Amino acid sequence: DDKENAMLNNGIKFLDIPYVAHTLEVTDGEEELIINCDEVDCTTFVEYALAMALSPTEDGQVAEGDFADKLQMIRYRDGKISGYPSRLHYIADWVNNGVRNGFLEDVSASYSPYTQKVSLSYMSSHPELYKQLSNSPQNVAKMKEIESSLSGQEFHYIPKDQLPFNGLPWIKNGDIIAITTNTPGLDVTHMGIAFYVDGKLSLLHASSKEKKVVVSKVALGQMLLSNDNWTGIRVLRMKK
Ligand code: NAG
């Protein structure tokens, strides 16, 4: 049924698209919905593939207006744009929004017994790394509020030593993979789309190292073991 796997098929359309960071940081003034499918980072890549997959198609084509509406619902808290802090910067927030609004299913919550506590402070404690925080104490204060409202929540994940290279029966092609981190104050540092290649669970993702969208050459389980900052994965599934 992979022919009907919209998430995977849409993700594959992005192969070789260049990795570019900070593509949503282009406006100087008000926060607005940016659509740039020609330059993606790990998050925007997944957001565009998901927005396409959620949009109705006619003769295989997605209408621009539908796509923009879905993207806004994915990227902004309850689909409302009201300043920089209304963007879902942390995956904990992003997943809650998707589940609350009925277009995401937290698969790891149903299948993995391992849990972790959200503890967020990264953005408010590194405002210099974010253009819209470095010049706005109001935005930093708002982000601090968001961080404390999410902190303490528990989420289910698969620790990396529990993820076989050939995947798990309940992780399917097209599932969204969010890689959890031990970086203080952050929940997730990378994301992509699950793709079984020759029986190996691989990651279709916008790679900052390879500077474009690729399918990992090694298994996702192997990628995780090679990175000391990566602790495991959350698995989310599109719900249409
Ligand atoms: C995320 C950023 C977010 C940005 C998104 C898309 C964090 C915690 N989140 O990684 O601000 O909107 O990428 O570029 O840095």
Side-chain angles (χ1 to χ4, degrees):
D1 60 350
D2 278 349
K3 263 192 227 109
E4 290 157 41
N5 192 324
M7 235 353 249
L8 182 60
N9 292 340
N10 289 321
I12 286 173
K13 289 183 194 143
F14 282 84
L15 277 173
D16 290 329
I17 295 286
Y19 177 98
V20 180
H22 307 298
T23 58
L24 306 184
E25 268 57 83
V26 290
T27 60
D28 264 326
E30 276 302 284
E31 178 78 13
E32 57 180 82
L33 185 71
I34 306 278
I35 300 178
N36 180 356
C37 294
D38 301 321
E39 301 173 313
V40 296
D41 63 29
C42 62
T43 308
T44 62
F45 161 62
V46 170
E47 289 183 335
Y48 295 135
L50 178 58
M52 281 178 189
L54 287 169
S55 298
T57 51
E58 207 172 307
D59 304 323
Q61 291 293 89
V62 168
E64 179 87 24
D66 291 326
F67 174 76
D69 289 347
K70 298 295 180 194
L71 183 63
Q72 188 163 324
M73 194 49 122
I74 293 164
R75 186 175 288 164
Y76 292 92
R77 197 168 298 104
D78 297 314
K80 296 185 192 84
I81 303 182
S82 111
Y84 181 72
S86 68
R87 201 196 302 163
L88 300 159
H89 300 281
Y90 290 108
I91 291 306
D93 216 359
W94 192 93
V95 172
N96 286 352
N97 178 71
V99 171
R100 190 169 64 237
N101 287 290
F103 60 83
L104 279 186
E105 187 188 337
D106 185 348
V107 196
S108 32
S110 310
Y111 292 94
S112 182
Y114 304 95
T115 60
Q116 207 175 302
K117 247 196 189 124
V118 178
S119 169
L120 302 175
S121 60
Y122 191 85
M123 294 183 76
S124 68
S125 54
H126 300 86
E128 71 284 355
L129 300 180
Y130 299 89
K131 186 172 152 195
Q132 289 93 327
L133 295 182
S134 59
N135 58 11
S136 169
Q138 293 93 320
N139 280 350
V140 175
K142 188 77 195 123
M143 283 315 302
K144 230 181 206 156
E145 261 175 49
I146 292 165
E147 289 166 352
S148 42
S149 77
L150 292 160
S151 295
Q153 291 183 13
E154 278 199 341
F155 64 88
H156 291 250
Y157 80 118
I158 309 167
K160 60 180 169 182
D161 59 5
Q162 300 295 322
L163 183 68
F165 291 3
N166 60 358
L168 289 165
W170 54 267
I171 302 178
K172 308 285 189 198
N173 270 338
D175 282 352
I176 296 168
I177 304 289
I179 299 180
T180 56
T181 182
N182 53 21
T183 303
L186 203 55
D187 56 342
V188 160
T189 39
H190 191 47
M191 64 196 306
I193 298 173
F195 187 12
Y196 286 90
V197 182
D198 298 329
K200 194 171 68 186
L201 175 58
S202 308
L203 192 67
L204 170 60
H205 65 137
S207 163
S208 57
K209 262 196 205 134
E210 300 187 54
K211 295 267 170 280
K212 59 183 183 178
V213 175
V214 296
V215 178
S216 65
K217 288 181 200 78
V218 299
L220 172 61
Q222 175 68 62
M223 288 173 74
L224 294 168
L225 292 180
S226 314
N227 191 323
D228 287 345
N229 295 318
W230 290 354
T231 54
I233 59 170
R234 296 186 70 172
V235 184
L236 302 321
R237 186 169 299 154
M238 178 184 90
K239 218 165 118 183
K240 205 167 177 175

